Amino acid sequence: MNRRAHITGWGKYVPEKVLTNHDLAQIVDTSDEWIVERTGIRERRVRGENDTTTSMAAAAAREALAVAGLEPEDLDLIIVANSSPDYLLPSPANFIQHTLGASCPAFTIAAGCSGWVYGLATGHQFIQTGVYENVLVIGVEIISHALDYTDRTTCVLFGDAAAAVVLQPTTEDAGVMTFELGSDGSRAHNLWVPGGGTVNPVSQKVVDNREHYIRMNGQEVARFAMRKLMSCLSSITAQAGITPHDLDLIIPHQANLRIIESAAKHLGLPMDKFFINVHKYANTSAASIPLALVEAIQEGRVKPGDTIGMVAFGSGLSWAGAVVRMGVRETELAHVNGNGHVKVSI
Ligand code: UT7
């Protein structure tokens, strides 16, 4: 019997504080017009005074656990995709585990914007092998802390958010059908934080040179993103014996609407096959795909039995994609239409 990880719970947390393009135009030499035209982004959320990586992740996780009908102590594993930890040590997964009141193992995956899909594939492995039953996969970022608000080429692009899913086993025709993970470290310096690590430790010079902030070669990353969005979508669907056209919904990494539109055009896919929320949140890195997935479910864009393709890309340079089939039984998506938290039966 084929055992797969199946998504049975989902939740999100976005900070209340909205930073619009107009707000940014007061800080750097940019405009709402430029940002909307080049990226599709209209606003993004930024952490409030009380938001931490841990608190945001825990809020999203609690919602996901409630949807799945699980308690924190039911969890066998917590995987956190994150590149903006509260502290450099220990990993944010440990703080999140403690805050939730769980007693299971917990670790963090740092694979930039691809991290959550890496986490999904990892959680799937633990479930497929029969080792664990209940796995929580969180994507969370307070990326605003790493933004240089004097650099208009990066600070307009990102936002803060958290989202989480619960994975449980199924032997039905649902769950993680295929995935692809990738890395091209030869191009790592196209999207990085040059200072603050062991090669270039924190110093006055690092701070003066603003090397503790994200730097990106936007055009190079955009070319990579376009290519990977198309090739990864093709390969994960081919592995599943289908084509991108057969997918009910595509959830691409929400970095730039132009990249998504361009990939859609090249693949001959209509834009209504893609779920888009980049206009509201900008690029939330590891939280981007799960946040879009959660909103797609909550907005009724996902029906029982739907096959979804997800593709992420980002720092590393890394990429990751997965084909996931949602619950095939009507009851499993019963709460989609806002009926509150319904216990999921598999
Ligand atoms: O999650 C990681 C994945 N990240 C991505 O996928 C990001 C990939 N890259 C991109 O999305 C795009 O390359 C950007 C949105 C970052 C930039 O768009 P672009 O169309 O590639 O612009 P560009 O870099 O070619 O810059 C064109 C002009 C430049 O001015 P000059 O040199 O032509 O005078 C930039 O300085 O636009 C200028 N510019 C801006 N102007 C107003 C760059 N940023 C801004 C800005 N406001 N915020």
Side-chain angles (χ1 to χ4, degrees):
M1 226 178 331
N2 209 347
R3 184 175 147 115
R4 295 193 187 93
H6 169 46
I7 295 174
T8 60
W10 43 83
K12 66 173 185 185
Y13 175 86
V14 293
E16 266 175 40
K17 195 171 162 193
V18 176
L19 189 65
T20 66
N21 293 347
H22 297 289
D23 296 333
L24 281 166
Q26 308 292 314
I27 305 170
V28 278
D29 181 16
T30 190
S31 65
D32 176 56
E33 207 182 5
W34 191 96
I35 303 171
V36 172
E37 197 201 307
R38 303 282 180 131
T39 71
I41 299 164
R42 292 185 181 275
E43 59 187 43
R44 71 285 294 140
R45 301 296 177 101
V46 288
R47 61 103 67 87
E49 237 173 74
N50 298 321
D51 290 319
T52 62
T53 297
T54 301
S55 72
M56 287 171 49
R62 284 190 197 103
E63 203 175 286
L65 287 169
V67 171
L70 292 182
E71 297 298 330
E73 56 265 33
D74 297 325
L75 288 171
D76 298 311
L77 176 66
I78 299 172
I79 302 173
V80 180
N82 176 259
S83 299
S84 48
D86 287 332
Y87 303 95
L88 289 182
L89 205 73
S91 135
N94 302 103
F95 290 111
I96 294 163
Q97 179 233 24
H98 175 66
T99 301
L100 284 175
S103 52
C104 61
F107 64 85
T108 299
I109 291 180
C113 304
S114 312
W116 186 83
V117 182
Y118 266 76
L120 178 75
T122 307
H124 172 55
Q125 298 307 296
F126 279 108
I127 285 178
Q128 201 170 33
T129 50
V131 176
Y132 294 137
E133 300 293 307
N134 304 321
V135 178
L136 180 66
V137 187
I138 305 170
V140 57
E141 299 285 8
I142 297 188
I143 204 140
S144 58
H145 97 107
L147 293 177
D148 181 350
Y149 284 97
T150 66
D151 176 8
R152 68 178 182 177
T153 69
T154 51
C155 75
V156 304
L157 302 174
F158 297 93
D160 302 337
V165 305
V166 172
L167 300 178
Q168 292 182 288
T170 181
T171 50
E172 297 197 351
D173 191 22
V176 178
M177 313 303 281
T178 67
F179 65 86
E180 177 182 278
L181 308 179
S183 161
D184 178 1
S186 71
R187 290 192 276 178
H189 297 92
N190 285 303
L191 179 43
W192 69 324
V193 177
T198 54
V199 171
N200 191 18
V202 180
S203 67
Q204 192 55 51
K205 188 165 153 270
V206 163
V207 175
D208 290 346
N209 292 340
R210 310 182 82 75
E211 290 168 341
H212 54 306
Y213 291 127
I214 288 177
R215 299 217 178 143
M216 180 169 73
N217 178 351
Q219 288 194 1
E220 189 61 30
V221 177
R223 272 192 291 274
F224 165 83
M226 250 287 286
R227 274 200 307 273
K228 281 303 166 196
L229 181 49
M230 293 193 294
S231 66
C232 187
L233 201 53
S234 301
S235 87
I236 54 174
T237 48
Q239 272 186 63
I242 56 175
T243 74
H245 295 264
D246 299 318
L247 293 168
D248 296 296
L249 189 68
I250 298 170
I251 299 186
H253 176 42
Q254 308 284 316
N256 185 330
L257 183 61
R258 280 177 67 178
I259 293 174
I260 300 167
E261 285 175 340
S262 177
K265 199 168 156 210
H266 277 81
L267 291 169
L269 292 165
M271 274 307 285
D272 62 9
K273 227 184 224 311
F274 291 79
F275 186 81
I276 306 291
N277 63 5
V278 68
H279 53 290
K280 292 194 285 183
Y281 304 118
N283 179 350
T284 59
S285 189
S288 170
I289 297 247
L291 179 62
L293 173 68
V294 172
E295 291 210 330
I297 294 171
Q298 290 174 341
E299 289 173 20
R301 289 283 304 274
V302 177
K303 297 181 298 304
D306 272 3
T307 306
I308 303 173
M310 309 172 190
V311 178
F313 45 81
S315 73
L317 296 178
S318 64
W319 70 95
V323 171
V324 174
R325 189 160 298 145
M326 295 304 288
V328 285
R329 291 183 191 169
E330 200 67 41
T331 52
E332 291 181 7
L333 288 174
H335 40 303
V336 162
N337 298 322
N339 297 338
H341 298 142
V342 173
K343 174 132 175 52
V344 175
S345 57
I346 356 175

